[in-house]
Short mmCIF file of all heavy atoms in Angstrom, two decimals:
data_model
loop_
_atom_site.label_atom_id
_atom_site.label_comp_id
_atom_site.label_asym_id
_atom_site.label_seq_id
_atom_site.Cartn_x
_atom_site.Cartn_y
_atom_site.Cartn_z
N LYS N 186 -5.30 -50.25 -183.68
CA LYS N 186 -6.41 -49.72 -184.48
C LYS N 186 -6.80 -48.30 -184.04
O LYS N 186 -7.62 -47.65 -184.69
CB LYS N 186 -7.63 -50.62 -184.37
CG LYS N 186 -7.40 -52.02 -184.97
CD LYS N 186 -8.66 -52.87 -184.83
CE LYS N 186 -8.43 -54.27 -185.41
NZ LYS N 186 -9.63 -55.11 -185.22
N LEU N 187 -6.23 -47.82 -182.94
CA LEU N 187 -6.60 -46.52 -182.40
C LEU N 187 -6.04 -45.39 -183.26
O LEU N 187 -4.87 -45.39 -183.62
CB LEU N 187 -6.06 -46.39 -180.97
CG LEU N 187 -6.36 -45.08 -180.25
CD1 LEU N 187 -7.86 -44.89 -180.04
CD2 LEU N 187 -5.64 -45.05 -178.90
N ALA N 188 -6.90 -44.42 -183.58
CA ALA N 188 -6.47 -43.25 -184.36
C ALA N 188 -6.98 -41.99 -183.68
O ALA N 188 -8.07 -41.97 -183.12
CB ALA N 188 -7.02 -43.33 -185.78
N VAL N 189 -6.17 -40.94 -183.73
CA VAL N 189 -6.65 -39.62 -183.28
C VAL N 189 -7.53 -39.08 -184.39
O VAL N 189 -7.05 -38.70 -185.46
CB VAL N 189 -5.48 -38.68 -182.97
CG1 VAL N 189 -6.01 -37.28 -182.66
CG2 VAL N 189 -4.65 -39.20 -181.80
N GLU N 190 -8.82 -39.07 -184.13
CA GLU N 190 -9.78 -38.65 -185.16
C GLU N 190 -9.72 -37.14 -185.38
O GLU N 190 -9.95 -36.67 -186.49
CB GLU N 190 -11.18 -39.08 -184.73
CG GLU N 190 -12.22 -39.01 -185.81
CD GLU N 190 -13.50 -39.68 -185.40
OE1 GLU N 190 -13.72 -39.92 -184.18
OE2 GLU N 190 -14.31 -39.97 -186.28
N GLY N 191 -9.42 -36.42 -184.33
CA GLY N 191 -9.31 -34.98 -184.51
C GLY N 191 -9.42 -34.21 -183.21
O GLY N 191 -9.78 -34.75 -182.16
N ILE N 192 -9.08 -32.94 -183.29
CA ILE N 192 -9.17 -32.01 -182.17
C ILE N 192 -10.43 -31.18 -182.35
O ILE N 192 -10.64 -30.56 -183.40
CB ILE N 192 -7.93 -31.10 -182.13
CG1 ILE N 192 -6.67 -31.95 -181.87
CG2 ILE N 192 -8.08 -30.00 -181.08
CD1 ILE N 192 -5.37 -31.22 -182.13
N VAL N 193 -11.29 -31.20 -181.34
CA VAL N 193 -12.56 -30.47 -181.38
C VAL N 193 -12.37 -29.15 -180.65
O VAL N 193 -12.19 -29.11 -179.43
CB VAL N 193 -13.70 -31.27 -180.73
CG1 VAL N 193 -15.00 -30.46 -180.76
CG2 VAL N 193 -13.88 -32.61 -181.44
N VAL N 194 -12.40 -28.06 -181.39
CA VAL N 194 -12.25 -26.73 -180.80
C VAL N 194 -13.57 -26.34 -180.15
O VAL N 194 -14.60 -26.23 -180.81
CB VAL N 194 -11.83 -25.69 -181.86
CG1 VAL N 194 -11.77 -24.30 -181.25
CG2 VAL N 194 -10.49 -26.09 -182.47
N ASN N 195 -13.53 -26.13 -178.83
CA ASN N 195 -14.75 -25.88 -178.07
C ASN N 195 -14.70 -24.48 -177.44
O ASN N 195 -13.63 -23.94 -177.20
CB ASN N 195 -14.89 -26.95 -176.98
CG ASN N 195 -16.26 -26.93 -176.33
OD1 ASN N 195 -17.26 -26.60 -176.96
ND2 ASN N 195 -16.32 -27.28 -175.06
N GLN N 196 -15.90 -23.92 -177.17
CA GLN N 196 -16.03 -22.61 -176.54
C GLN N 196 -15.25 -21.55 -177.33
O GLN N 196 -14.56 -20.70 -176.77
CB GLN N 196 -15.54 -22.67 -175.07
CG GLN N 196 -16.31 -23.68 -174.24
CD GLN N 196 -15.76 -23.81 -172.84
OE1 GLN N 196 -15.66 -22.82 -172.12
NE2 GLN N 196 -15.39 -25.02 -172.42
N TYR N 197 -15.38 -21.64 -178.64
CA TYR N 197 -14.62 -20.76 -179.53
C TYR N 197 -15.28 -19.39 -179.64
O TYR N 197 -16.49 -19.28 -179.85
CB TYR N 197 -14.54 -21.39 -180.92
CG TYR N 197 -13.68 -20.64 -181.90
CD1 TYR N 197 -12.30 -20.60 -181.75
CD2 TYR N 197 -14.24 -19.97 -182.99
CE1 TYR N 197 -11.49 -19.92 -182.65
CE2 TYR N 197 -13.45 -19.30 -183.90
CZ TYR N 197 -12.07 -19.27 -183.72
OH TYR N 197 -11.28 -18.60 -184.62
N GLN N 198 -14.47 -18.35 -179.48
CA GLN N 198 -14.95 -16.97 -179.62
C GLN N 198 -14.28 -16.37 -180.85
O GLN N 198 -13.11 -15.98 -180.81
CB GLN N 198 -14.63 -16.17 -178.36
CG GLN N 198 -15.36 -16.70 -177.12
CD GLN N 198 -14.94 -15.98 -175.85
OE1 GLN N 198 -13.76 -15.89 -175.54
NE2 GLN N 198 -15.93 -15.47 -175.13
N ALA N 199 -15.04 -16.29 -181.92
CA ALA N 199 -14.48 -15.90 -183.22
C ALA N 199 -13.94 -14.48 -183.23
O ALA N 199 -13.04 -14.16 -184.01
CB ALA N 199 -15.54 -16.06 -184.30
N ARG N 200 -14.47 -13.63 -182.36
CA ARG N 200 -14.04 -12.22 -182.37
C ARG N 200 -12.82 -11.97 -181.48
O ARG N 200 -12.28 -10.86 -181.49
CB ARG N 200 -15.20 -11.32 -181.94
CG ARG N 200 -16.38 -11.36 -182.91
CD ARG N 200 -17.49 -10.43 -182.46
NE ARG N 200 -18.63 -10.50 -183.37
CZ ARG N 200 -19.75 -9.80 -183.20
NH1 ARG N 200 -19.86 -8.98 -182.16
NH2 ARG N 200 -20.75 -9.92 -184.06
N ALA N 201 -12.44 -12.95 -180.69
CA ALA N 201 -11.27 -12.78 -179.81
C ALA N 201 -10.01 -13.21 -180.55
O ALA N 201 -10.00 -14.22 -181.26
CB ALA N 201 -11.47 -13.61 -178.54
N SER N 202 -8.94 -12.47 -180.35
CA SER N 202 -7.71 -12.74 -181.11
C SER N 202 -6.96 -13.97 -180.62
O SER N 202 -6.39 -14.71 -181.43
CB SER N 202 -6.79 -11.52 -181.06
OG SER N 202 -6.45 -11.21 -179.72
N LEU N 203 -6.96 -14.24 -179.30
CA LEU N 203 -6.18 -15.36 -178.79
C LEU N 203 -6.68 -16.71 -179.31
O LEU N 203 -5.87 -17.52 -179.79
CB LEU N 203 -6.16 -15.36 -177.26
CG LEU N 203 -5.37 -16.51 -176.62
CD1 LEU N 203 -3.91 -16.47 -177.04
CD2 LEU N 203 -5.49 -16.46 -175.09
N PRO N 204 -7.99 -17.01 -179.26
CA PRO N 204 -8.45 -18.29 -179.81
C PRO N 204 -8.07 -18.46 -181.28
O PRO N 204 -7.64 -19.54 -181.69
CB PRO N 204 -9.97 -18.24 -179.63
CG PRO N 204 -10.18 -17.31 -178.50
CD PRO N 204 -9.11 -16.28 -178.62
N GLN N 205 -8.23 -17.40 -182.07
CA GLN N 205 -7.86 -17.48 -183.49
C GLN N 205 -6.39 -17.82 -183.66
O GLN N 205 -6.01 -18.67 -184.47
CB GLN N 205 -8.16 -16.15 -184.19
CG GLN N 205 -9.64 -15.82 -184.30
CD GLN N 205 -9.86 -14.50 -185.02
OE1 GLN N 205 -9.24 -14.23 -186.05
NE2 GLN N 205 -10.73 -13.67 -184.49
N LYS N 206 -5.55 -17.15 -182.87
CA LYS N 206 -4.10 -17.34 -182.96
C LYS N 206 -3.72 -18.77 -182.57
O LYS N 206 -2.95 -19.44 -183.28
CB LYS N 206 -3.40 -16.33 -182.05
CG LYS N 206 -1.88 -16.47 -181.98
CD LYS N 206 -1.30 -15.36 -181.10
CE LYS N 206 0.21 -15.50 -180.97
NZ LYS N 206 0.58 -16.66 -180.13
N VAL N 207 -4.26 -19.25 -181.44
CA VAL N 207 -3.90 -20.59 -180.94
C VAL N 207 -4.34 -21.67 -181.91
O VAL N 207 -3.58 -22.59 -182.24
CB VAL N 207 -4.51 -20.83 -179.54
CG1 VAL N 207 -4.31 -22.28 -179.11
CG2 VAL N 207 -3.89 -19.90 -178.52
N VAL N 208 -5.56 -21.57 -182.41
CA VAL N 208 -6.08 -22.58 -183.34
C VAL N 208 -5.29 -22.57 -184.65
O VAL N 208 -4.95 -23.62 -185.20
CB VAL N 208 -7.58 -22.36 -183.60
CG1 VAL N 208 -8.07 -23.28 -184.72
CG2 VAL N 208 -8.38 -22.62 -182.33
N GLN N 209 -4.98 -21.38 -185.15
CA GLN N 209 -4.21 -21.29 -186.39
C GLN N 209 -2.83 -21.92 -186.23
O GLN N 209 -2.33 -22.59 -187.15
CB GLN N 209 -4.07 -19.82 -186.82
CG GLN N 209 -3.42 -19.63 -188.18
CD GLN N 209 -4.14 -20.36 -189.30
OE1 GLN N 209 -5.37 -20.42 -189.35
NE2 GLN N 209 -3.37 -20.95 -190.22
N GLU N 210 -2.21 -21.75 -185.08
CA GLU N 210 -0.90 -22.35 -184.83
C GLU N 210 -0.99 -23.88 -184.81
O GLU N 210 -0.10 -24.57 -185.31
CB GLU N 210 -0.32 -21.82 -183.52
CG GLU N 210 0.16 -20.38 -183.63
CD GLU N 210 0.56 -19.78 -182.30
OE1 GLU N 210 0.31 -20.43 -181.25
OE2 GLU N 210 1.12 -18.67 -182.29
N LEU N 211 -2.07 -24.42 -184.25
CA LEU N 211 -2.26 -25.88 -184.26
C LEU N 211 -2.38 -26.39 -185.70
O LEU N 211 -1.80 -27.43 -186.05
CB LEU N 211 -3.52 -26.27 -183.48
CG LEU N 211 -3.52 -26.02 -181.97
CD1 LEU N 211 -4.84 -26.49 -181.37
CD2 LEU N 211 -2.36 -26.70 -181.28
N ILE N 212 -3.12 -25.66 -186.51
CA ILE N 212 -3.30 -26.06 -187.92
C ILE N 212 -1.97 -26.02 -188.65
O ILE N 212 -1.62 -26.93 -189.41
CB ILE N 212 -4.34 -25.13 -188.61
CG1 ILE N 212 -5.73 -25.36 -188.00
CG2 ILE N 212 -4.37 -25.38 -190.11
CD1 ILE N 212 -6.76 -24.33 -188.43
N GLU N 213 -1.20 -24.95 -188.41
CA GLU N 213 0.09 -24.81 -189.07
C GLU N 213 1.09 -25.90 -188.65
O GLU N 213 2.00 -26.25 -189.41
CB GLU N 213 0.67 -23.43 -188.78
CG GLU N 213 -0.08 -22.31 -189.50
CD GLU N 213 0.35 -20.92 -189.06
OE1 GLU N 213 1.24 -20.83 -188.17
OE2 GLU N 213 -0.21 -19.94 -189.59
N GLU N 214 0.90 -26.44 -187.47
CA GLU N 214 1.75 -27.53 -187.00
C GLU N 214 1.32 -28.89 -187.58
O GLU N 214 1.95 -29.91 -187.32
CB GLU N 214 1.72 -27.60 -185.47
CG GLU N 214 2.45 -26.45 -184.81
CD GLU N 214 2.24 -26.43 -183.30
OE1 GLU N 214 1.80 -27.46 -182.75
OE2 GLU N 214 2.53 -25.40 -182.67
N GLY N 215 0.25 -28.88 -188.35
CA GLY N 215 -0.21 -30.11 -188.99
C GLY N 215 -1.10 -30.97 -188.13
O GLY N 215 -1.34 -32.15 -188.46
N LEU N 216 -1.61 -30.44 -187.02
CA LEU N 216 -2.48 -31.21 -186.14
C LEU N 216 -3.89 -31.29 -186.73
O LEU N 216 -4.34 -30.36 -187.41
CB LEU N 216 -2.51 -30.59 -184.74
CG LEU N 216 -1.17 -30.65 -184.00
CD1 LEU N 216 -1.25 -29.92 -182.67
CD2 LEU N 216 -0.71 -32.09 -183.79
N PRO N 217 -4.60 -32.39 -186.48
CA PRO N 217 -5.91 -32.61 -187.12
C PRO N 217 -7.05 -31.83 -186.46
O PRO N 217 -7.89 -32.40 -185.75
CB PRO N 217 -6.11 -34.12 -186.98
CG PRO N 217 -5.39 -34.46 -185.71
CD PRO N 217 -4.19 -33.55 -185.65
N VAL N 218 -7.09 -30.54 -186.69
CA VAL N 218 -8.14 -29.70 -186.12
C VAL N 218 -9.41 -29.85 -186.95
O VAL N 218 -9.40 -29.66 -188.18
CB VAL N 218 -7.70 -28.23 -186.08
CG1 VAL N 218 -8.82 -27.34 -185.55
CG2 VAL N 218 -6.44 -28.07 -185.23
N LEU N 219 -10.50 -30.20 -186.30
CA LEU N 219 -11.77 -30.45 -187.00
C LEU N 219 -12.58 -29.16 -187.14
O LEU N 219 -12.51 -28.27 -186.31
CB LEU N 219 -12.59 -31.48 -186.23
CG LEU N 219 -11.99 -32.89 -186.13
CD1 LEU N 219 -12.76 -33.73 -185.12
CD2 LEU N 219 -11.99 -33.58 -187.50
N GLU N 220 -13.35 -29.11 -188.19
CA GLU N 220 -14.30 -28.01 -188.38
C GLU N 220 -15.71 -28.57 -188.46
O GLU N 220 -15.89 -29.70 -188.89
CB GLU N 220 -13.96 -27.24 -189.67
CG GLU N 220 -12.65 -26.48 -189.58
CD GLU N 220 -12.48 -25.54 -190.77
OE1 GLU N 220 -13.30 -24.60 -190.88
OE2 GLU N 220 -11.55 -25.75 -191.55
N PRO N 221 -16.72 -27.80 -188.05
CA PRO N 221 -16.61 -26.43 -187.55
C PRO N 221 -16.16 -26.39 -186.09
O PRO N 221 -16.19 -27.41 -185.40
CB PRO N 221 -18.05 -25.92 -187.68
CG PRO N 221 -18.88 -27.16 -187.43
CD PRO N 221 -18.12 -28.27 -188.09
N TYR N 222 -15.77 -25.20 -185.64
CA TYR N 222 -15.46 -24.99 -184.25
C TYR N 222 -16.78 -24.77 -183.49
O TYR N 222 -17.74 -24.27 -184.06
CB TYR N 222 -14.56 -23.77 -184.06
CG TYR N 222 -13.35 -23.75 -184.98
CD1 TYR N 222 -12.80 -22.55 -185.43
CD2 TYR N 222 -12.75 -24.94 -185.40
CE1 TYR N 222 -11.70 -22.52 -186.26
CE2 TYR N 222 -11.65 -24.93 -186.24
CZ TYR N 222 -11.13 -23.73 -186.68
OH TYR N 222 -10.04 -23.71 -187.52
N LEU N 223 -16.80 -25.18 -182.23
CA LEU N 223 -18.02 -25.05 -181.43
C LEU N 223 -18.01 -23.72 -180.67
O LEU N 223 -17.10 -23.44 -179.90
CB LEU N 223 -18.13 -26.22 -180.44
CG LEU N 223 -18.14 -27.62 -181.08
CD1 LEU N 223 -18.12 -28.70 -180.00
CD2 LEU N 223 -19.36 -27.80 -181.98
N SER N 224 -19.03 -22.93 -180.91
CA SER N 224 -19.09 -21.59 -180.33
C SER N 224 -19.33 -21.63 -178.82
O SER N 224 -19.93 -22.57 -178.29
CB SER N 224 -20.23 -20.79 -180.97
OG SER N 224 -20.04 -20.67 -182.36
N SER N 225 -18.87 -20.58 -178.17
CA SER N 225 -19.21 -20.37 -176.76
C SER N 225 -20.64 -19.85 -176.70
O SER N 225 -21.01 -18.91 -177.41
CB SER N 225 -18.24 -19.36 -176.16
OG SER N 225 -18.56 -19.10 -174.82
N SER N 226 -21.48 -20.48 -175.87
CA SER N 226 -22.89 -20.06 -175.80
C SER N 226 -23.47 -20.37 -174.42
O SER N 226 -23.26 -21.44 -173.87
CB SER N 226 -23.71 -20.79 -176.87
OG SER N 226 -25.08 -20.51 -176.70
N ILE N 227 -24.23 -19.42 -173.89
CA ILE N 227 -24.91 -19.61 -172.61
C ILE N 227 -26.00 -20.67 -172.74
O ILE N 227 -26.44 -21.27 -171.75
CB ILE N 227 -25.50 -18.26 -172.12
CG1 ILE N 227 -25.89 -18.33 -170.65
CG2 ILE N 227 -26.67 -17.84 -172.99
CD1 ILE N 227 -24.72 -18.42 -169.70
N LYS N 228 -26.44 -20.94 -173.97
CA LYS N 228 -27.53 -21.90 -174.20
C LYS N 228 -27.15 -23.30 -173.72
O LYS N 228 -28.01 -24.08 -173.33
CB LYS N 228 -27.86 -21.93 -175.69
CG LYS N 228 -29.18 -22.62 -176.03
CD LYS N 228 -30.37 -21.76 -175.64
CE LYS N 228 -31.68 -22.36 -176.14
NZ LYS N 228 -32.84 -21.53 -175.75
N ILE N 229 -25.85 -23.61 -173.73
CA ILE N 229 -25.44 -24.95 -173.33
C ILE N 229 -25.73 -25.20 -171.85
O ILE N 229 -26.00 -26.33 -171.43
CB ILE N 229 -23.95 -25.20 -173.66
CG1 ILE N 229 -23.65 -26.69 -173.69
CG2 ILE N 229 -23.02 -24.48 -172.70
CD1 ILE N 229 -24.33 -27.44 -174.81
#
């Protein structure tokens, strides 16, 4: 009954190129990336 519900992208920096590139590659590979992505924040 176990299912991979999804990949939670954490500490995401939208203005940095590497996070965008890595996440996009996961999506293109068909992996279940969930939205929205969780931003990096000092508030946590």
Side-chain angles (χ1 to χ4, degrees):
K186 296 180 181 178
L187 180 64
V189 174
E190 194 170 17
I192 296 166
V193 178
V194 176
N195 192 32
Q196 301 175 56
Y197 185 70
Q198 296 175 307
R200 296 181 182 179
S202 59
L203 180 61
Q205 293 181 44
K206 177 177 178 289
V207 172
V208 172
Q209 186 57 39
E210 287 172 351
L211 294 181
I212 293 170
E213 289 172 359
E214 289 172 16
L216 294 176
V218 178
L219 296 168
E220 292 191 64
Y222 311 149
L223 302 175
S224 301
S225 178
S226 173
I227 195 70
K228 194 74 172 179
I229 199 67

